[in-house]
Amino acid sequence: MAGVPVSELSKEQQDELLCAYAALILHDDGADVTAQGMTNLIKAAGCTVEAYWPMLMAKMISNVGMDGLIKMGGGGGGGGGAPAKGE
């Protein structure tokens, strides 16, 4: 999603992105990552998401753990390595 302007994302993608950022902010601040915490942060930013998104994300985070999700990454493929010297 980082390679696409936010204005080109669907509403569902924007909601997911808002929840992901809210969860990362809460985690980085040392706070519990809860549906209510994400909702409060999203509202404080002047945004809204469908009510199920924070609950869904909080449940996933409680099952997998925030550190585990961060380590998983986005699953994007890496580019090829730099060519060796002399090639």
Side-chain angles (χ1 to χ4, degrees):
M1 283 187 220
V4 178
V6 173
S7 61
E8 293 181 18
L9 297 176
S10 69
K11 172 65 172 143
E12 291 80 19
Q13 290 172 320
Q14 290 178 18
D15 287 1
E16 183 180 0
L17 192 59
L18 280 164
C19 287
Y21 285 154
L24 286 168
I25 290 167
L26 291 168
H27 177 73
D28 190 52
D29 199 38
D32 288 335
V33 181
T34 64
Q36 189 61 53
M38 285 187 276
T39 300
N40 291 344
L41 191 55
I42 291 165
K43 284 182 181 179
C47 301
T48 59
V49 297
E50 293 290 334
Y52 67 87
W53 275 110
M55 291 185 290
L56 185 68
M57 291 286 266
K59 185 173 183 175
M60 179 179 61
I61 291 165
S62 71
N63 289 337
V64 178
M66 195 66 184
D67 290 328
L69 289 171
I70 291 170
K71 288 177 187 172
M72 281 185 217
K85 278 190 171 182
E87 286 188 17

